[in-house]
């Protein structure tokens, strides 16, 4: 018996996790299909007013999936098709997502200050802000984690007319 996991066979825990993931895969795929499928009665005709409303709502922090749930707006897959077919629209959506990132940054600050969006539960607010910051880094490089990279240049050093390989004369 494994005293850390309290299981008789060490592979049993792994099999259980895999089984749980497999059990969740189908419901997750079905909910994605349900959220992104076109709904009867949703318009498929593109108008400037519809595009403008979608861009405004993206810029104000709403997710495209939620926006496309409104009956007077096109479905998620329809709007994505419009973007694939029109690079100018794709560019406008990218700009809207830049503003979306700023809105999410403001929301994160508000939550941390106990303002709008705060649940009052510190742990939950902290987790929500962590998720917002993660998404910010994906949406806009301006908000990404800064990485410091140290570059070390290795050159051979010549001492007494012999070449010593390594980081610089220490014989390594």
């Amino acid at each position: 018996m494994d005293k850390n996991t309290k299981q008789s066979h060490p592979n049993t825990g792994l099999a259980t996790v895999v089984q749980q993931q497999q059990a969740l895969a189908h419901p997750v795929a079905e909910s994605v299909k349900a959220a992104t499928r076109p709904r009867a009665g949703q318009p498929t005709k593109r108008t400037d007013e519809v595009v403008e409303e979608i861009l405004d709502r993206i810029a104000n922090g709403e997710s495209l999936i939620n926006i496309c749930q409104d009956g007077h707006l096109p479905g998620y897959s329809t709007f994505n098709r419009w973007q694939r077919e029109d690079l100018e629209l794709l560019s406008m959506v990218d700009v809207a997502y830049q503003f979306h990132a700023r809105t999410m940054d403001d929301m994160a600050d508000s939550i941390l200050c106990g303002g709008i969006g705060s649940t009052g539960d510190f742990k939950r607010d902290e987790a929500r802000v962590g998720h917002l910051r993660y998404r910010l880094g994906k949406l806009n490089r301006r908000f990404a984690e800064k990485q410091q990279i140290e570059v070390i240049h290795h050159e051979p050093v010549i001492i007494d007319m012999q070449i010593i390989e390594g980081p610089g004369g220490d014989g390594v």
Side-chain angles (χ1 to χ4, degrees):
M1 176 180 241
D2 185 353
K3 65 182 179 183
N4 292 328
T5 60
K6 309 255 191 266
Q7 295 175 349
S8 59
H9 190 283
N11 290 335
T12 306
L14 180 60
T16 305
V17 170
V18 170
Q19 290 169 346
Q20 289 173 347
Q21 289 175 340
Q22 289 172 343
L24 286 174
H26 183 69
V28 168
E30 288 302 313
S31 46
V32 168
K33 282 182 191 175
T36 60
R37 71 174 163 71
R39 287 164 175 44
Q42 282 187 299
T44 55
K45 185 176 181 187
R46 181 175 161 182
T47 66
D48 290 342
E49 293 79 21
V50 166
V51 170
E52 191 64 33
E53 180 178 348
I54 292 172
L55 293 176
D56 283 344
R57 289 174 66 177
I58 289 171
N60 287 316
E62 286 187 65
S63 74
L64 184 57
I65 284 182
N66 286 342
I67 294 167
C68 292
Q69 297 301 310
D70 284 357
H72 71 283
L73 296 174
Y76 184 80
S77 58
T78 301
F79 190 72
N80 279 334
R81 181 172 34 83
W82 292 353
Q83 291 179 76
R84 286 191 308 269
E85 294 170 354
D86 182 357
L87 295 180
E88 184 179 340
L89 175 61
L90 181 61
S91 175
M92 292 178 355
V93 170
D94 287 343
V95 170
Y97 271 109
Q98 288 177 11
F99 284 97
H100 179 94
R102 292 178 183 177
T103 301
M104 287 178 24
D105 185 46
D106 289 343
M107 180 59 84
D109 288 342
S110 175
I111 291 170
L112 288 175
C113 293
I116 296 172
S118 174
T119 63
D121 178 358
F122 178 76
K123 289 286 187 192
R124 182 175 174 156
D125 287 352
E126 185 178 42
R128 187 166 181 213
V129 167
H131 176 71
L132 285 172
R133 298 272 187 220
Y134 169 79
R135 285 192 57 214
L136 280 169
K138 298 295 181 189
L139 286 171
N140 190 326
R141 287 179 33 189
R142 172 179 156 195
F143 298 106
E145 293 277 328
K146 305 298 184 253
Q147 302 258 342
Q148 183 174 347
I149 300 172
E150 185 175 330
V151 178
I152 299 174
H153 188 69
H154 295 280
E155 291 185 57
V157 177
I158 300 175
I159 298 178
D160 296 331
M161 302 309 289
Q162 294 180 344
I163 297 177
I164 301 173
E165 297 291 334
D170 60 359
V172 182

